[in-house]
Amino acid sequence: MKADQGNNLSEMVYHYLLDMILSMKIKPGDRIPEARIATQFGISRTPIRDAMKQLANDGILNIYPNRFAEVANWDEDLIKEIGITRAHLDNLAAKLAIFYGSNADFNRMMEHAKICLKAALDDDVALKIKEDCAFHLELSMIARNRQLIEFQKKIYLKIEFLQSWRGDFLENPQEQYRQHEEIVTALTDRNEKEVIQLLTRHNMHFHNLEKDFPVDFFINP
């Protein structure tokens, strides 16, 4: 019972810290206020440290043992590495989604795109980011590959974190919607070549990969 309570506390603190980070209440480079959180929730530091370890595994925190933990502040090389990985995994997800997916599945992706656009127009940046990531994660769900889903959840948590503190990674809402709509149309048409091209250009532009890689680097097997 005590173990279950500890796990529940750790999960609660994890989501609390994640929300604070994604809403920019705690910014990259800021230290995690362990003592304040312990006092606020009336808990020991053990579940807080367990939650911080999980966030460190997610790549969102840096932990310096016996000193402090701080929100990560990624350099351009790491951001590029995330973009390269994302582009290849999205393309794999698209191929599998065409094989397994139905038109109803692809319509669910479009619903995320619509909510994403409305959130942007309503100036709800947090919801815009979340729904943009949900659009891409839905593609992995349709792909029905548990390993891929696991990898993509980690990647898109990083993408959500990246967009929360780097305004230059927030795309024009109407253009983003147009690209999402084109991707869904190509999926519905089962046009694998078109889907891969659209996804690749979409992801390359987001991560500014054009200056380092040709499009064929991601499209060709």
Side-chain angles (χ1 to χ4, degrees), residues 4 45 51 58 116 118 122 134 137 158 175 207 221:
D4 289 341
R45 294 198 183 190
D58 293 334
C116 180
K118 184 178 186 304
D122 291 342
L137 273 175
K158 289 180 169 67
E175 176 59 22
H207 291 276

mmCIF file with all atom_site columns, all heavy atoms in Angstrom, residues 4 45 51 58 116 118 122 134 137 158 175 207 221:
data_model
loop_
_atom_site.group_PDB
_atom_site.id
_atom_site.type_symbol
_atom_site.label_atom_id
_atom_site.label_alt_id
_atom_site.label_comp_id
_atom_site.label_asym_id
_atom_site.label_entity_id
_atom_site.label_seq_id
_atom_site.pdbx_PDB_ins_code
_atom_site.Cartn_x
_atom_site.Cartn_y
_atom_site.Cartn_z
_atom_site.occupancy
_atom_site.B_iso_or_equiv
_atom_site.pdbx_formal_charge
_atom_site.auth_seq_id
_atom_site.auth_comp_id
_atom_site.auth_asym_id
_atom_site.auth_atom_id
_atom_site.pdbx_PDB_model_num
ATOM 1   N N   . ASP A 1 4   ? 2.332   1.915  -3.347  1.00 0.00 ? 4   ASP A N   1
ATOM 2   C CA  . ASP A 1 4   ? 1.354   2.489  -4.272  1.00 0.00 ? 4   ASP A CA  1
ATOM 3   C C   . ASP A 1 4   ? 1.165   3.976  -3.992  1.00 0.00 ? 4   ASP A C   1
ATOM 4   O O   . ASP A 1 4   ? 1.068   4.798  -4.907  1.00 0.00 ? 4   ASP A O   1
ATOM 5   C CB  . ASP A 1 4   ? 0.011   1.771  -4.145  1.00 0.00 ? 4   ASP A CB  1
ATOM 6   C CG  . ASP A 1 4   ? 0.060   0.363  -4.720  1.00 0.00 ? 4   ASP A CG  1
ATOM 7   O OD1 . ASP A 1 4   ? 0.977   0.094  -5.515  1.00 0.00 ? 4   ASP A OD1 1
ATOM 8   O OD2 . ASP A 1 4   ? -0.799  -0.455 -4.362  1.00 0.00 ? 4   ASP A OD2 1
ATOM 9   N N   . ARG A 1 45  ? 10.613  14.752 0.366   1.00 0.00 ? 45  ARG A N   1
ATOM 10  C CA  . ARG A 1 45  ? 11.282  15.031 -0.903  1.00 0.00 ? 45  ARG A CA  1
ATOM 11  C C   . ARG A 1 45  ? 11.447  13.786 -1.770  1.00 0.00 ? 45  ARG A C   1
ATOM 12  O O   . ARG A 1 45  ? 11.796  13.903 -2.948  1.00 0.00 ? 45  ARG A O   1
ATOM 13  C CB  . ARG A 1 45  ? 12.650  15.665 -0.643  1.00 0.00 ? 45  ARG A CB  1
ATOM 14  C CG  . ARG A 1 45  ? 12.559  17.043 0.004   1.00 0.00 ? 45  ARG A CG  1
ATOM 15  C CD  . ARG A 1 45  ? 13.836  17.816 -0.154  1.00 0.00 ? 45  ARG A CD  1
ATOM 16  N NE  . ARG A 1 45  ? 13.782  19.096 0.526   1.00 0.00 ? 45  ARG A NE  1
ATOM 17  C CZ  . ARG A 1 45  ? 14.698  20.048 0.382   1.00 0.00 ? 45  ARG A CZ  1
ATOM 18  N NH1 . ARG A 1 45  ? 15.749  19.835 -0.391  1.00 0.00 ? 45  ARG A NH1 1
ATOM 19  N NH2 . ARG A 1 45  ? 14.595  21.199 1.022   1.00 0.00 ? 45  ARG A NH2 1
ATOM 20  N N   . ALA A 1 51  ? 10.002  11.988 -9.183  1.00 0.00 ? 51  ALA A N   1
ATOM 21  C CA  . ALA A 1 51  ? 9.393   12.694 -10.321 1.00 0.00 ? 51  ALA A CA  1
ATOM 22  C C   . ALA A 1 51  ? 10.460  13.398 -11.144 1.00 0.00 ? 51  ALA A C   1
ATOM 23  O O   . ALA A 1 51  ? 10.414  13.397 -12.386 1.00 0.00 ? 51  ALA A O   1
ATOM 24  C CB  . ALA A 1 51  ? 8.363   13.698 -9.821  1.00 0.00 ? 51  ALA A CB  1
ATOM 25  N N   . ASP A 1 58  ? 13.115  11.958 -19.417 1.00 0.00 ? 58  ASP A N   1
ATOM 26  C CA  . ASP A 1 58  ? 12.413  12.552 -20.563 1.00 0.00 ? 58  ASP A CA  1
ATOM 27  C C   . ASP A 1 58  ? 13.281  13.576 -21.290 1.00 0.00 ? 58  ASP A C   1
ATOM 28  O O   . ASP A 1 58  ? 12.925  14.030 -22.376 1.00 0.00 ? 58  ASP A O   1
ATOM 29  C CB  . ASP A 1 58  ? 11.126  13.244 -20.106 1.00 0.00 ? 58  ASP A CB  1
ATOM 30  C CG  . ASP A 1 58  ? 10.072  12.281 -19.585 1.00 0.00 ? 58  ASP A CG  1
ATOM 31  O OD1 . ASP A 1 58  ? 10.087  11.106 -19.996 1.00 0.00 ? 58  ASP A OD1 1
ATOM 32  O OD2 . ASP A 1 58  ? 9.240   12.706 -18.761 1.00 0.00 ? 58  ASP A OD2 1
ATOM 33  N N   . CYS A 1 116 ? -6.263  22.606 -33.041 1.00 0.00 ? 116 CYS A N   1
ATOM 34  C CA  . CYS A 1 116 ? -4.979  23.318 -33.028 1.00 0.00 ? 116 CYS A CA  1
ATOM 35  C C   . CYS A 1 116 ? -5.129  24.707 -33.636 1.00 0.00 ? 116 CYS A C   1
ATOM 36  O O   . CYS A 1 116 ? -4.654  25.700 -33.071 1.00 0.00 ? 116 CYS A O   1
ATOM 37  C CB  . CYS A 1 116 ? -3.942  22.501 -33.798 1.00 0.00 ? 116 CYS A CB  1
ATOM 38  S SG  . CYS A 1 116 ? -2.303  23.259 -33.879 1.00 0.00 ? 116 CYS A SG  1
ATOM 39  N N   . LYS A 1 118 ? -7.973  26.491 -34.039 1.00 0.00 ? 118 LYS A N   1
ATOM 40  C CA  . LYS A 1 118 ? -8.848  27.319 -33.202 1.00 0.00 ? 118 LYS A CA  1
ATOM 41  C C   . LYS A 1 118 ? -8.101  27.828 -31.969 1.00 0.00 ? 118 LYS A C   1
ATOM 42  O O   . LYS A 1 118 ? -8.250  29.001 -31.575 1.00 0.00 ? 118 LYS A O   1
ATOM 43  C CB  . LYS A 1 118 ? -10.082 26.522 -32.776 1.00 0.00 ? 118 LYS A CB  1
ATOM 44  C CG  . LYS A 1 118 ? -11.091 27.362 -31.980 1.00 0.00 ? 118 LYS A CG  1
ATOM 45  C CD  . LYS A 1 118 ? -12.321 26.578 -31.606 1.00 0.00 ? 118 LYS A CD  1
ATOM 46  C CE  . LYS A 1 118 ? -13.352 27.477 -30.940 1.00 0.00 ? 118 LYS A CE  1
ATOM 47  N NZ  . LYS A 1 118 ? -12.834 28.186 -29.751 1.00 0.00 ? 118 LYS A NZ  1
ATOM 48  N N   . ASP A 1 122 ? -7.439  31.645 -30.888 1.00 0.00 ? 122 ASP A N   1
ATOM 49  C CA  . ASP A 1 122 ? -7.909  32.106 -29.578 1.00 0.00 ? 122 ASP A CA  1
ATOM 50  C C   . ASP A 1 122 ? -6.747  32.513 -28.668 1.00 0.00 ? 122 ASP A C   1
ATOM 51  O O   . ASP A 1 122 ? -6.960  32.840 -27.500 1.00 0.00 ? 122 ASP A O   1
ATOM 52  C CB  . ASP A 1 122 ? -8.713  31.002 -28.881 1.00 0.00 ? 122 ASP A CB  1
ATOM 53  C CG  . ASP A 1 122 ? -10.045 30.738 -29.565 1.00 0.00 ? 122 ASP A CG  1
ATOM 54  O OD1 . ASP A 1 122 ? -10.494 31.605 -30.331 1.00 0.00 ? 122 ASP A OD1 1
ATOM 55  O OD2 . ASP A 1 122 ? -10.630 29.654 -29.334 1.00 0.00 ? 122 ASP A OD2 1
ATOM 56  N N   . ALA A 1 134 ? -0.491  16.182 -30.706 1.00 0.00 ? 134 ALA A N   1
ATOM 57  C CA  . ALA A 1 134 ? -1.489  15.114 -30.739 1.00 0.00 ? 134 ALA A CA  1
ATOM 58  C C   . ALA A 1 134 ? -1.783  14.683 -32.178 1.00 0.00 ? 134 ALA A C   1
ATOM 59  O O   . ALA A 1 134 ? -2.034  13.495 -32.436 1.00 0.00 ? 134 ALA A O   1
ATOM 60  C CB  . ALA A 1 134 ? -2.775  15.573 -30.053 1.00 0.00 ? 134 ALA A CB  1
ATOM 61  N N   . LEU A 1 137 ? 1.062   12.380 -33.022 1.00 0.00 ? 137 LEU A N   1
ATOM 62  C CA  . LEU A 1 137 ? 0.993   11.162 -32.222 1.00 0.00 ? 137 LEU A CA  1
ATOM 63  C C   . LEU A 1 137 ? -0.142  10.253 -32.681 1.00 0.00 ? 137 LEU A C   1
ATOM 64  O O   . LEU A 1 137 ? -0.027  9.027  -32.612 1.00 0.00 ? 137 LEU A O   1
ATOM 65  C CB  . LEU A 1 137 ? 0.811   11.512 -30.745 1.00 0.00 ? 137 LEU A CB  1
ATOM 66  C CG  . LEU A 1 137 ? 2.083   11.774 -29.944 1.00 0.00 ? 137 LEU A CG  1
ATOM 67  C CD1 . LEU A 1 137 ? 1.736   12.220 -28.535 1.00 0.00 ? 137 LEU A CD1 1
ATOM 68  C CD2 . LEU A 1 137 ? 2.959   10.523 -29.902 1.00 0.00 ? 137 LEU A CD2 1
ATOM 69  N N   . LYS A 1 158 ? 9.171   16.016 -26.020 1.00 0.00 ? 158 LYS A N   1
ATOM 70  C CA  . LYS A 1 158 ? 10.285  16.937 -26.266 1.00 0.00 ? 158 LYS A CA  1
ATOM 71  C C   . LYS A 1 158 ? 9.863   18.071 -27.197 1.00 0.00 ? 158 LYS A C   1
ATOM 72  O O   . LYS A 1 158 ? 10.245  19.228 -26.989 1.00 0.00 ? 158 LYS A O   1
ATOM 73  C CB  . LYS A 1 158 ? 11.480  16.179 -26.861 1.00 0.00 ? 158 LYS A CB  1
ATOM 74  C CG  . LYS A 1 158 ? 12.206  15.258 -25.886 1.00 0.00 ? 158 LYS A CG  1
ATOM 75  C CD  . LYS A 1 158 ? 13.362  14.562 -26.578 1.00 0.00 ? 158 LYS A CD  1
ATOM 76  C CE  . LYS A 1 158 ? 14.278  13.847 -25.585 1.00 0.00 ? 158 LYS A CE  1
ATOM 77  N NZ  . LYS A 1 158 ? 13.634  12.701 -24.929 1.00 0.00 ? 158 LYS A NZ  1
ATOM 78  N N   . GLU A 1 175 ? -0.946  28.312 -42.059 1.00 0.00 ? 175 GLU A N   1
ATOM 79  C CA  . GLU A 1 175 ? -0.044  27.497 -42.871 1.00 0.00 ? 175 GLU A CA  1
ATOM 80  C C   . GLU A 1 175 ? 0.107   26.102 -42.264 1.00 0.00 ? 175 GLU A C   1
ATOM 81  O O   . GLU A 1 175 ? 0.136   25.098 -42.976 1.00 0.00 ? 175 GLU A O   1
ATOM 82  C CB  . GLU A 1 175 ? 1.325   28.179 -42.986 1.00 0.00 ? 175 GLU A CB  1
ATOM 83  C CG  . GLU A 1 175 ? 2.382   27.376 -43.726 1.00 0.00 ? 175 GLU A CG  1
ATOM 84  C CD  . GLU A 1 175 ? 1.998   27.040 -45.150 1.00 0.00 ? 175 GLU A CD  1
ATOM 85  O OE1 . GLU A 1 175 ? 1.140   27.721 -45.751 1.00 0.00 ? 175 GLU A OE1 1
ATOM 86  O OE2 . GLU A 1 175 ? 2.586   26.076 -45.701 1.00 0.00 ? 175 GLU A OE2 1
ATOM 87  N N   . HIS A 1 207 ? 12.179  22.152 -38.062 1.00 0.00 ? 207 HIS A N   1
ATOM 88  C CA  . HIS A 1 207 ? 13.472  22.039 -37.372 1.00 0.00 ? 207 HIS A CA  1
ATOM 89  C C   . HIS A 1 207 ? 14.617  22.722 -38.121 1.00 0.00 ? 207 HIS A C   1
ATOM 90  O O   . HIS A 1 207 ? 15.777  22.589 -37.733 1.00 0.00 ? 207 HIS A O   1
ATOM 91  C CB  . HIS A 1 207 ? 13.818  20.561 -37.151 1.00 0.00 ? 207 HIS A CB  1
ATOM 92  C CG  . HIS A 1 207 ? 12.917  19.885 -36.154 1.00 0.00 ? 207 HIS A CG  1
ATOM 93  N ND1 . HIS A 1 207 ? 13.131  19.958 -34.798 1.00 0.00 ? 207 HIS A ND1 1
ATOM 94  C CD2 . HIS A 1 207 ? 11.800  19.147 -36.329 1.00 0.00 ? 207 HIS A CD2 1
ATOM 95  C CE1 . HIS A 1 207 ? 12.178  19.275 -34.169 1.00 0.00 ? 207 HIS A CE1 1
ATOM 96  N NE2 . HIS A 1 207 ? 11.364  18.776 -35.071 1.00 0.00 ? 207 HIS A NE2 1
ATOM 97  N N   . PRO A 1 221 ? 14.870  5.201  -48.704 1.00 0.00 ? 221 PRO A N   1
ATOM 98  C CA  . PRO A 1 221 ? 15.140  4.196  -47.666 1.00 0.00 ? 221 PRO A CA  1
ATOM 99  C C   . PRO A 1 221 ? 16.634  4.030  -47.433 1.00 0.00 ? 221 PRO A C   1
ATOM 100 O O   . PRO A 1 221 ? 17.446  4.353  -48.281 1.00 0.00 ? 221 PRO A O   1
ATOM 101 C CB  . PRO A 1 221 ? 14.515  2.915  -48.229 1.00 0.00 ? 221 PRO A CB  1
ATOM 102 C CG  . PRO A 1 221 ? 14.455  3.137  -49.708 1.00 0.00 ? 221 PRO A CG  1
ATOM 103 C CD  . PRO A 1 221 ? 14.296  4.620  -49.920 1.00 0.00 ? 221 PRO A CD  1
#
